[in-house]
Amino acid sequence: EAGVTQFPSHSVIEKGQTVTLRCDPISGHDNLYWYRRVMGKEIKFLLHFVKESKQDESGMPNNRFLAERTGGTYSTLKVQPAELEDSGVYFCASSPQWSTGGTDTQYFGPGTRLTVL
Amino acid sequence: AQRVTQPEKLLSVFKGAPVELKCNYSYSGSPELFWYVQYSRQRLQLLLRHISRESIKGFTADLNKGETSFHLKKPFAQEEDSAMYYCALSHSYAGGTSYGKLTFGQGTILTVHP
């Protein structure tokens, strides 16, 4: 079974440009999460999709970030315009189902390293 | 607000020595605690979770609600245990809606010397 995949693995852009990150979760997983690790800091939650709906976007830093999940399959995270402080590693994770009474294991992708110059 | 604290950024031990990676949390509800590990050039993966109460790769972790801790322990460290370890917390309502988002600690880099 293929794991969570992310594209690209690395992206180097200049301040003010736009970048779109993509995440393909494990097939059949309803839950999709985006996290970010800025250098020297902890991994922080950005948002959570349940199928195609945004369940929780409390971690999105500002309106320069836009996440979508078309048809409840893959997800994109667009940063427009990018700023220097957006540099970091962006992780995607997925888990099987929106269940009650517990938390499914999250399976992480390899991450996308974004560098904004 | 929920918070996870890993006081040690770096931890070095020799092969065969016991190792303990500390994790403390603050949360007002009923937390679920996890340890995730990232080996060199690999993705972040679940090591163990407190509700499973199992030992993975010789590691164990006990949730101590009184001390709000979830320390990770292994009696005899191996070189292949060298990795970045993250303690994480997820809010969970028993019998209700679950929230899967994770709050991570800053991570501890464990190095096991031969």
Side-chain angles (χ1 to χ4, degrees):
Chain A
E1 176 184 284
V4 176
T5 58
Q6 293 186 244
F7 182 83
S9 57
H10 293 84
S11 180
V12 180
I13 61 172
E14 292 190 350
K15 175 183 171 180
Q17 290 186 319
T18 298
V19 63
T20 300
L21 313 181
R22 173 171 169 143
C23 168
D24 286 78
I26 293 172
S27 178
H29 280 193
D30 289 343
N31 297 289
L32 188 149
Y33 307 84
W34 284 99
Y35 296 88
R36 177 175 73 170
R37 182 176 63 206
V38 172
M39 187 178 292
K41 307 266 182 155
E42 67 270 26
I43 300 171
K44 284 197 171 179
F45 167 80
L46 296 178
L47 88 159
H48 171 200
F49 284 99
V50 177
K51 298 184 180 178
E52 67 277 5
S53 300
K54 291 177 184 175
Q55 177 66 30
D56 181 355
E57 51 184 331
S58 61
M60 294 288 263
N62 52 61
N63 59 10
R64 294 186 293 103
F65 288 74
L66 175 64
E68 295 179 325
R69 189 178 183 192
T70 307
T73 55
Y74 70 91
S75 174
T76 57
L77 180 65
K78 180 190 286 188
V79 185
Q80 179 182 30
E83 298 289 345
L84 300 179
E85 63 265 25
D86 300 333
S87 296
V89 181
Y90 290 77
F91 294 100
C92 175
S94 71
S95 67
Q97 62 184 6
W98 182 239
S99 60
T100 59
T103 303
D104 287 328
T105 297
Q106 294 186 26
Y107 297 87
F108 281 77
T112 293
R113 182 175 296 278
L114 174 64
T115 302
V116 183
L117 302 175
Chain B
Q2 54 195 40
R3 176 180 290 179
V4 177
T5 303
Q6 293 178 250
E8 303 135 331
K9 281 194 172 180
L10 302 170
L11 185 61
S12 290
V13 300
F14 285 99
K15 177 183 173 182
V19 63
E20 181 180 52
L21 291 84
K22 291 185 167 48
C23 172
N24 288 89
Y25 67 91
S26 61
Y27 189 66
S28 57
S30 180
E32 281 196 62
L33 275 296
F34 305 81
W35 277 98
Y36 277 81
V37 60
Q38 187 169 25
Y39 300 102
S40 179
R41 299 189 184 85
Q42 294 188 29
R43 62 187 64 193
L44 199 61
Q45 58 187 282
L46 178 68
L47 179 62
L48 53 81
R49 55 195 298 178
H50 90 269
I51 60 171
S52 299
R53 302 184 66 82
E54 57 190 347
S55 173
I56 304 293
K57 298 185 178 182
F59 284 97
T60 59
D62 291 318
L63 179 62
N64 186 324
K65 291 187 177 181
E67 296 182 357
T68 60
S69 68
F70 188 57
H71 303 327
L72 183 68
K73 299 177 184 179
K74 185 169 183 176
F76 308 103
Q78 303 299 314
E79 289 178 69
E80 55 265 30
D81 296 329
S82 295
M84 171 76 97
Y85 291 79
Y86 292 96
C87 184
L89 177 155
S90 176
H91 175 91
S92 174
Y93 289 120
T97 303
S98 294
Y99 296 93
K101 71 177 182 182
L102 296 170
T103 297
F104 286 89
Q106 285 203 314
T108 298
I109 299 173
L110 173 65
T111 303
V112 181
H113 299 283

